[in-house]
Amino acid sequence: MGVYDILNILILIILAALFLIGRELYLKSVRVRQRLQMEKVFTNITHELLTPLTVVSASVDQLREESPEHNHQYDMMQMNIQRMVRLLQQILETSKSQAGELKLQVAYGDVMKYIYDTALCLQPMMTKKGIDFNIKCTPESMMGWIDTDKLDKIIYNLISNAAKYTSEGEISLEVQTSRNYDFIFINVRDTGCGIPQDKQKHLFQRFYDGEYRHHNNIGTGLGLALTRDLVVLHHGNITFKSEKDKGTTFTVILPITKEAFSPKERDEEHRIDLNIAKNAIVDIKTEVPDINKSTFVSATDDDEKSNILISEDNPELLMLMYQALKNQYHVFVAQSGKQALDIIHKTRIHLIVSDIMMADMDGLQLTETIKSDPVYSYLPIILITANTQEESREEALRIGADEYLTKPFRLGDLKLRIENIIANRKRALQESQGQMTESIADLPPTPEQEFLKRALDCLREHLDDADYDRDTFAADMGASASSLYNKLRAITGMNVSTFIRDARMKEAKRLAEANPNIRVSDLAYRVGFQDPKYFSTCFKKQFGIQPKEFLEGLQPPNTKK
């Protein structure tokens, strides 16, 4: 092969390489254009969504004026409207940051006072999660230059991010100035789970969702990335230190002198409005009223309404479900699994509706605890979750949940499931009572019937003991008197005393059928009655016939007197 041939081959290789490189660059430019077009469309849609939200918000305000008796519902509407607005604004800020269109506009005023008031607006979030929240500004007042719009987003994102990974711990915001009063140092410290070493390098990466799912949180992956962009835009710096299982500290350093910003970045005509801080974080501080004490009327034994317990840590959703169910049922509410268990131990509950994602004890743990307790295992449970994966549904059903709803769900669907479960339980109750009417016999091996059989066997061992009362019965069953009452009431419709008397009567009938020659007084003593006359009264009330007549009816015709 000659030199000419080699040159031709090299030229062909170069041309092929140039073609491939050019094709790749072309395809890349097409993808960039498409991405920019989609970002523009996405930004436009986000802008458009803000308009109807504004209209809805104004309509809610108008309804509040016309019908003020529904203030709590209006608060919930406004809270969620403002949360949507904040999320949309964060998306817009991110789009502007990517396009290099974020603008800084600093104004002069009391920097420390503004930061303190802004952070204070987040106190309800901390109270709801059981977190101790401390704010300290040193000095308490300090004049300087800041962009309030950017600073409130920085504070909100850092503190809300800390709250996601801190459960019943402590979060502190400490702000201090440099020696020359030209910088402020903002430290947000939490006592949460910390950031794993392998996750730290991705922390400020856009759309990185960190450990949200492991902590039952939902995130967009925009918060910390946008926070870093806003800090850099403010000519500052952000760093963090974290130790697993001990907590994380974010440190933001921002300049506050006039000279740190260009003339285009300064608004010298206006000063910092401290009232902005009170409206910057606009989540309305709606709290769940103490329904269980103030508005709930306990059901009597003759009350046909069932008692429903709703366990949900989102106050808006909790109140919506309460409002939807309160006319049809007696509704108890709990904002955590632990609160739910406390109510279950004290109150006769017929059905539980629980969210899966809760802080101190989630819905799965609540279900496992209830289903593993023989006293409460009969309680039907409907679990609600935002997780749509089939594995999550299978896990919920495996541990004993009776129904499973995924968010978003229709309240009508929830009501239908509750109605079906309660109707099925009532049919099972009637069947159980029918079986009990015949005799103390073996019953189908369901959890309810297993408990009932154990209770009947326990009573049969003590039927001739006239002093065997409900407290002794509860102790023998390994339950408190109230727990035993709740379960027996749910399964049989009887209270403990009625259940004991019913069992004595059923056994009296069985003994009479087995020995028709027994005397009424002996029959009474055999089933724990010291007064044969009272026994006769109870027997007639139960079976519609006097025990003497019943025994005579069992005699062969030729032996009757």
Side-chain angles (χ1 to χ4, degrees), residues 461-485:
E461 294 176 2
H462 301 88
L463 280 179
D464 59 349
D465 183 358
D467 295 325
Y468 194 76
D469 58 11
R470 56 186 178 183
D471 291 331
T472 310
F473 181 28
D476 288 345
M477 289 292 292
S480 66
S482 60
S483 298
L484 182 63
Y485 169 85

Side-chain angles (χ1 to χ4, degrees), residues 299-457:
T300 64
D301 287 347
D302 297 327
D303 196 335
E304 295 183 356
K305 281 188 177 182
S306 297
N307 294 344
I308 307 295
L309 170 62
I310 306 174
S311 182
E312 167 64 62
D313 63 357
N314 181 287
E316 307 91 72
L317 182 55
L318 179 64
M319 290 305 299
L320 284 173
M321 288 191 286
Y322 168 77
Q323 294 292 337
L325 299 173
K326 69 176 184 177
N327 292 330
Q328 192 172 356
Y329 307 101
H330 292 299
V331 182
F332 289 85
V333 299
Q335 289 190 272
S336 70
K338 290 182 179 179
Q339 287 183 10
L341 279 179
D342 185 58
I343 292 173
I344 292 167
H345 291 157
K346 296 178 180 178
T347 310
R348 175 165 59 93
I349 297 296
H350 297 103
L351 182 142
I352 301 167
V353 178
S354 176
D355 191 9
I356 286 184
M357 294 184 180
M358 293 185 292
D360 60 351
M361 174 186 283
D362 63 33
L364 294 176
Q365 293 170 325
L366 176 63
T367 302
E368 283 187 307
T369 301
I370 292 171
K371 295 298 182 180
S372 62
D373 188 333
V375 177
Y376 300 105
S377 59
Y378 70 94
L379 284 173
I381 300 175
I382 299 175
L383 288 180
I384 300 173
T385 182
N387 192 338
T388 59
Q389 294 182 355
E390 181 64 21
E391 293 83 356
S392 178
R393 178 179 177 275
E394 290 176 356
E395 172 68 8
L397 297 178
R398 184 187 64 78
I399 64 175
D402 296 79
E403 282 283 0
Y404 183 89
L405 279 174
T406 56
K407 298 176 183 177
F409 63 89
R410 299 171 64 90
L411 287 172
D413 291 340
L414 175 62
K415 293 174 72 174
L416 181 61
R417 282 166 169 78
I418 292 174
E419 290 170 5
N420 288 339
I421 290 176
I422 290 179
N424 290 336
R425 293 285 165 142
K426 286 182 178 179
R427 282 194 293 270
L429 171 59
Q430 292 172 354
E431 292 174 4
S432 297
Q433 291 174 330
Q435 289 170 327
M436 288 178 62
T437 303
E438 298 301 324
S439 65
I440 304 176
D442 292 335
L443 298 169
T446 64
E448 293 84 355
Q449 303 293 38
E450 289 286 349
F451 177 85
L452 194 56
K453 184 177 181 301
R454 189 161 64 90
L456 292 170
D457 288 343

Side-chain angles (χ1 to χ4, degrees), residues 143-257:
M143 304 301 286
W145 293 77
I146 54 170
D147 185 326
T148 54
D149 176 65
K150 306 301 183 290
L151 188 56
D152 106 79
K153 292 180 173 65
I154 291 170
I155 293 172
Y156 179 88
N157 285 336
L158 289 178
I159 295 178
S160 62
N161 185 74
K164 290 174 183 176
Y165 300 104
T166 303
S167 178
E168 297 184 349
E170 180 180 345
I171 294 177
S172 63
L173 171 70
E174 296 181 1
V175 189
Q176 57 186 12
T177 62
S178 61
R179 290 183 177 180
N180 297 324
Y181 305 104
D182 50 354
F183 288 89
I184 56 171
F185 299 86
I186 303 173
N187 291 294
V188 176
R189 182 179 296 106
D190 66 65
T191 59
C193 60
I195 305 168
Q197 191 69 32
D198 59 329
K199 306 291 185 183
Q200 294 185 9
K201 61 181 179 180
H202 302 293
L203 200 59
F204 294 113
Q205 182 178 322
R206 191 168 281 111
F207 302 120
Y208 176 69
D209 61 2
E211 300 286 297
Y212 287 119
R213 294 180 181 86
H214 293 89
H215 297 272
N216 293 333
N217 290 312
I218 299 174
T220 62
L222 296 176
L224 288 179
L226 178 60
T227 299
R228 181 194 58 184
D229 293 346
L230 295 175
V231 170
V232 172
L233 179 70
H234 213 289
H235 306 308
N237 184 43
I238 181 170
T239 58
F240 69 91
K241 292 181 181 179
S242 184
E243 189 172 350
K244 188 171 177 57
D245 298 326
K246 291 189 177 181
T248 302
T249 300
F250 281 88
T251 299
V252 174
I253 304 175
L254 297 177
I256 58 172
T257 60

